[in-house]
Amino acid sequence: MPRELTFKIKKKEYATIPQKTDRKKLYGWVDIIALDDKGEPCNLISTDEAGSVLIPKGGTGLGILSPKIEWIERSELVAVREDGSPAKLITSSYKAPIELKEKVTIEQFLDYSITDFYQLEQAEEHFLTEIGNDIYTFTYSYLDNYEGSPAFLMVSDNKLYMLIGVANNFEMLCFGDCGNIDDTEDDTLQIEDNDDLDFSMLNFK
């Protein structure tokens, strides 16, 4: 049974079913299969550093070691912020209704790169009307996690969509004293009209 994502707006709740749209559904895909000289599929394996031990798929894993080179169970780890304070656990978006409060402009929305795209099916017509031409934003988390993702809710062609993204942090670099990119009073490029331009001075090849 598909998981439901419930939203709350103006004290009323609306249940939807998210269906992820990926590139494979839109454009299809190609699988490359390696075959041996008998036409049988080849299996991917790994070797040790010396190349003398064959390790089949699933034969390797990741472990966590302390600074003292001691094994640590994942359950022993505690999430903290950069300042060392405990990180707040974010509850899965599927466990409780998501209250829609915050809106963003188109300009603010375009400051994000979209990583995942969902169509929310079985959305009530009244819910689509409530969303209208607005773009709502909220924090999305598939599972209980310490870091959620910015999500956006919008309506297009009478269908409801949820887009997950990451913020684009642009940094401006310059030499010396950096000015404001919008300052044009002192730095305006002055171009003088010259009707006496001599095209014979130009060398066309």
Side-chain angles (χ1 to χ4, degrees):
M1 182 177 180
R3 302 180 71 182
E4 288 188 349
L5 202 58
T6 303
F7 297 93
K8 183 177 181 180
I9 185 171
K10 295 182 179 179
K11 299 182 179 181
K12 188 173 182 180
E13 297 182 0
Y14 302 90
T16 63
I17 299 178
Q19 295 292 339
K20 187 173 183 179
T21 302
D22 54 24
R23 291 181 178 274
K24 287 185 177 181
K25 292 182 179 179
L26 294 175
Y27 308 113
W29 68 95
V30 175
D31 286 332
I32 300 177
I33 302 176
L35 305 175
D36 59 16
D37 53 0
K38 296 182 180 180
E40 298 294 331
C42 298
N43 295 321
L44 180 65
I45 63 172
S46 303
T47 64
D48 64 346
E49 293 182 359
S52 58
V53 179
L54 300 180
I55 305 173
K57 184 179 180 180
T60 60
L62 297 177
I64 303 173
L65 299 178
S66 71
K68 297 181 179 180
I69 318 300
E70 297 176 346
W71 187 268
I72 299 178
E73 296 294 338
R74 190 173 295 274
S75 59
E76 301 177 30
L77 300 178
V78 178
V80 296
R81 299 187 181 277
E82 293 182 359
D83 58 2
S85 61
K88 182 181 179 182
L89 182 65
I90 299 176
T91 305
S92 169
S93 300
Y94 293 86
K95 289 185 176 180
I98 302 170
E99 190 167 3
L100 300 176
K101 296 180 178 179
E102 186 178 354
K103 302 177 185 180
V104 296
T105 63
I106 295 178
E107 289 76 14
Q108 292 172 319
F109 170 72
L110 293 176
D111 286 337
Y112 292 80
S113 292
I114 302 304
T115 58
D116 296 286
F117 187 92
Y118 294 84
Q119 180 177 340
L120 303 181
E121 299 183 348
Q122 299 185 12
E124 295 182 23
E125 188 68 29
H126 186 263
F127 185 33
L128 301 182
T129 303
E130 289 288 353
I131 300 297
N133 295 323
D134 294 324
I135 303 175
Y136 282 87
T137 184
F138 57 94
T139 299
Y140 173 83
S141 181
Y142 184 77
L143 301 173
D144 293 345
N145 206 336
Y146 290 97
E147 185 177 3
S149 300
F152 304 91
L153 204 67
M154 63 182 68
V155 175
S156 177
D157 293 333
N158 206 37
K159 295 180 181 179
L160 185 62
Y161 296 97
M162 179 178 69
L163 292 79
I164 314 297
V166 293
N168 297 319
N169 297 318
F170 297 103
E171 295 184 2
M172 297 296 180
L173 302 178
C174 66
F175 294 102
D177 186 19
C178 296
N180 192 325
I181 194 171
D182 294 326
D183 290 344
T184 57
E185 295 181 1
D186 299 329
D187 299 329
T188 302
L189 180 63
Q190 301 294 332
I191 301 177
E192 297 182 359
D193 293 332
N194 188 353
D195 296 331
D196 299 326
L197 180 63
D198 186 2
F199 286 95
S200 64
M201 300 171 57
L202 303 179
N203 183 18
F204 296 97
K205 295 184 179 180

